[in-house]
C-alpha cells in the first residue's frame, strides 16, 4: 500500500523535525516546509493527502495559506494553534480547515486527528461511489437547480458556468444533503452522517458549516431557499435532486 503523504508547515524547526520523525514512525511519508512561500512552491509539485499547518508564522500566516489551499482544491488541513488564538481558529474552520490542535500538543493526539480526517475522506469517497440514481447506476454528478456537483472532481458549478470551491467539510455536508433531499435532518443526524464514529455529541460545528455552505450556494444566504432551518428540528434540503 502506498504511504499517505503529509506536509508539515511550521516555522519552528524542532516542531517540524519532531512531527516528521513521529509521523514517519507511524507509516506516513512526511515533507516539511518552514513558511508560506515554501508551501506555495511545494503544492504544485507533489500530491499531499493532508497538510498540518501552523496558524501563526512570519510572513504569510496560516489563515491566508488555508484559503489558498482551499482555492486550489487542495488536501484537508489541520491547523496548529496557540491557546490565545481561539478566535483565529474559528476563522480557520470557517474558511475551510478540517480540524485544529492546540499547542502545546501531544503528538499522539495530532496523529489521532490526522487518522480521523483521512478516514472521513475515504468514507465519503466510498459513499459517493455507492450512491445510485436508479437500478444501481453510479451517480457521478448531481443536479439541483441551479447547481451541478461533480463527485469525482468535487466541482460545484452554477448554471452560468461559475465554479465554486468547497472545503472537505463543506463538500461532505453538501453531499449528505443531496443524498437526503426534502427530508428534515437533525443536527445530531448531520454530525453522524458527516463525521461517523468521530462525531462528538457536543459538537456545534454543523451550524457554522451550514452557514458557510449557504454563503456559497444561496442567492440570498439571509433568506435561504435551498437549505432551510426547521426550528426545533434541524435543516431541510428543500429542492429536488437528480442525476446529471
Amino acid at each position: 500500500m502506498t504511504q499517505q503523504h503529509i506536509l508539515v508547515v511550521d516555522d519552528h524547526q524542532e516542531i517540524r523535525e519532531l512531527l516528521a520523525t513521529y509521523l514517519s514512525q507511524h507509516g506516513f511519508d512526511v515533507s516539511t516546509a518552514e513558511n508560506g512561500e515554501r508551501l506555495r512552491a511545494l503544492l504544485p509539485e507533489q500530491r499531499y493527502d493532508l497538510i498540518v499547518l501552523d496558524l501563526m508564522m512570519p510572513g504569510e500566516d496560516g489563515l491566508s495559506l488555508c484559503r489558498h489551499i482551499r482555492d486550489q482544491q487542495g488536501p484537508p488541513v489541520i491547523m496548529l494553534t496557540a491557546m490565545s488564538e481561539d478566535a483565529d481558529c474559528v476563522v480557520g474552520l470557517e474558511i475551510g480547515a478540517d480540524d485544529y490542535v492546540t499547542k502545546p500538543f501531544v503528538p499522539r493526539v495530532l496523529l489521532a486527528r490526522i487518522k480521523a480526517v483521512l478516514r472521513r475522506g475515504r468514507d465519503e469517497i466510498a459513499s459517493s461511489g455507492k450512491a445510485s440514481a436508479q437500478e444501481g447506476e453510479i451517480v457521478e454528478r448531481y443536479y439541483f437547480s441551479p447547481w451541478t456537483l461533480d463527485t469525482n472532481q468535487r466541482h460545484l458549478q452554477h448554471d452560468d458556468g461559475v465554479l465554486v470551491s468547497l472545503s472537505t467539510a463543506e463538500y461532505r455536508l453538501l453531499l449528505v444533503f443531496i443524498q437526503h433531499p426534502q427530508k428534515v435532518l437533525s443536527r445530531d443526524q448531520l454530525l453522524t452522517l458527516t463525521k461517523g464514529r468521530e462525531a462528538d455529541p457536543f459538537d456545534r460545528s454543523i451550524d457554522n458549516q451550514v452557514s458557510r455552505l449557504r454563503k456559497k450556494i444561496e442567492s440570498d444566504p439571509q433568506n435561504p431557499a435551498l437549505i432551510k432551518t426547521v426550528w426545533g428540528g434541524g435543516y431541510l434540503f428543500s429542492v429536488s435532486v437528480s442525476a446529471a
Side-chain angles (χ1 to χ4, degrees):
M1 180 181 293
T2 303
Q3 288 181 311
Q4 291 177 298
H5 197 173
I6 307 295
L7 176 60
V8 175
V9 186
D10 198 296
D11 60 307
H12 290 93
Q13 182 178 355
E14 60 271 24
I15 292 180
R16 296 196 306 270
E17 294 177 350
L18 166 68
L19 291 181
T21 300
Y22 185 80
L23 295 175
S24 296
Q25 291 172 344
H26 285 80
F28 292 101
D29 184 15
V30 185
S31 297
T32 63
E34 66 277 12
N35 53 38
E37 182 179 2
R38 182 61 178 154
L39 166 63
R40 285 177 176 268
L42 288 173
L43 274 180
E45 295 180 355
Q46 299 211 39
R47 178 187 177 277
Y48 300 100
D49 295 286
L50 184 142
I51 297 176
V52 177
L53 178 62
D54 187 27
L55 178 62
M56 297 302 295
M57 294 184 292
E60 188 174 10
D61 66 20
L63 294 180
S64 175
L65 292 167
C66 183
R67 186 179 292 109
H68 173 71
I69 294 166
R70 290 281 73 83
D71 289 344
Q72 298 300 311
Q73 303 288 333
V77 174
I78 294 180
M79 303 201 78
L80 299 179
T81 75
M83 291 291 290
S84 60
E85 296 162 359
D86 285 350
D88 286 333
C89 180
V90 171
V91 174
L93 293 173
E94 289 177 347
I95 64 176
D98 295 87
D99 205 345
Y100 71 95
V101 173
T102 302
K103 293 180 177 179
F105 59 88
V106 178
R108 63 183 175 82
V109 171
L110 177 60
L111 176 64
R113 298 290 183 89
I114 288 173
K115 289 182 175 180
V117 170
L118 292 173
R119 183 162 54 245
R120 291 202 298 267
R122 290 194 300 268
D123 288 346
E124 72 190 37
I125 290 172
S127 66
S128 64
K130 293 176 183 177
S132 60
Q134 1 176 326
E135 302 299 328
E137 177 188 359
I138 295 177
V139 177
E140 296 180 349
R141 302 173 77 213
Y142 293 95
Y143 179 74
F144 56 100
S145 182
W147 296 99
T148 299
L149 179 68
D150 185 323
T151 60
N152 283 332
Q153 301 296 322
R154 293 194 181 186
H155 285 167
L156 181 63
Q157 184 170 16
H158 194 275
D159 283 348
D160 62 11
V162 173
L163 287 174
V164 174
S165 63
L166 298 172
S167 70
T168 301
E170 291 163 352
Y171 170 80
R172 192 161 58 236
L173 179 61
L174 179 58
L175 190 61
V176 166
F177 278 131
I178 284 174
Q179 293 175 345
H180 300 82
Q182 300 175 330
K183 177 181 178 181
V184 176
L185 296 173
S186 70
R187 290 173 177 82
D188 288 343
Q189 286 175 313
L190 288 170
L191 277 170
T192 299
L193 290 168
T194 56
K195 294 191 174 183
R197 288 172 294 178
E198 284 76 43
D200 180 346
F202 299 103
D203 189 343
R204 309 317 300 170
S205 63
I206 284 296
D207 293 328
N208 289 331
Q209 292 175 24
V210 168
S211 177
R212 295 200 304 270
L213 191 55
R214 279 172 169 165
K215 291 177 182 177
K216 294 190 174 182
I217 69 173
E218 299 278 4
S219 57
D220 181 2
Q222 300 303 315
N223 296 285
L226 301 177
I227 305 175
K228 295 187 175 181
T229 300
V230 178
W231 300 112
Y235 295 100
L236 170 71
F237 197 63
S238 64
V239 294
S240 59
V241 178
S242 60

